[in-house]
Amino acid sequence: DLPGAPAFGLAFLAFNSLFNLPSAEAQAGCFASVARHLAAEGRFALECVVPGDPPSRVKDAVDLHSIGVDRVVLRLSRQNPADQTVTGQHVEITEAGIRLRPWFLRYATLAELDAMADAGLSVFPFRKDEPGVCRRRKDPGLIMVNKRTYLFVLSRADDFP
């Protein structure tokens, strides 16, 4: 939280940054903090991948990320649908040795993101004729950036009549 900070006109979380927070509670806390610090007519933009249907059980994956004459990078991951997490490693192999780069995501569904926004935020309504507006919500407040990536635009709840 930012005690004593001025109100912000824009808060922007790009490229799944929200999902780097390790729990649903931490993610909801982020939304609540944004709501407290947003100016009266401020906007909160959130770019994230919205997952499809989760696997029925834990799913492991090993992928070749890149290969060159002097290095190989593998990507290993485990998706746990019960706690909505994906844990992974980028494994870089060179003549000098092996380098591990761990990563972790706790993903949220569209319904969960809507519930988090209820912490004092409202969906910023796009015009119905605006290109790219996704129709998966009753209030078209998100733009489909590509097949699975969305840009949510929210504002303070008191910004609407």
Side-chain angles (χ1 to χ4, degrees), residues 6 26 44 89 113:
F44 175 32
Q89 288 273 359
L113 293 169

Side-chain angles (χ1 to χ4, degrees), residues 78-150:
R78 170 167 282 173
Q79 181 179 2
N80 185 333
D83 57 8
Q84 295 177 220
T85 60
V86 184
T87 304
Q89 288 273 359
H90 286 97
V91 180
E92 183 175 4
I93 304 168
T94 66
E95 287 184 21
I98 297 174
R99 179 177 171 215
L100 302 176
R101 297 182 314 220
W103 55 271
F104 174 86
L105 293 174
R106 191 273 169 192
Y107 56 89
T109 64
L110 278 174
E112 287 177 295
L113 293 169
D114 280 342
M116 290 179 209
D118 285 342
L121 298 168
S122 293
V123 174
F124 183 78
F126 293 99
R127 295 187 325 263
K128 291 186 185 221
D129 61 344
E130 201 148 355
V133 171
C134 176
R135 300 293 180 203
R136 290 179 63 183
R137 296 171 51 107
K138 60 184 176 193
D139 297 318
L142 60 124
I143 299 172
M144 183 181 283
V145 176
N146 61 39
K147 196 173 189 180
R148 300 220 4 233
T149 303
Y150 294 88

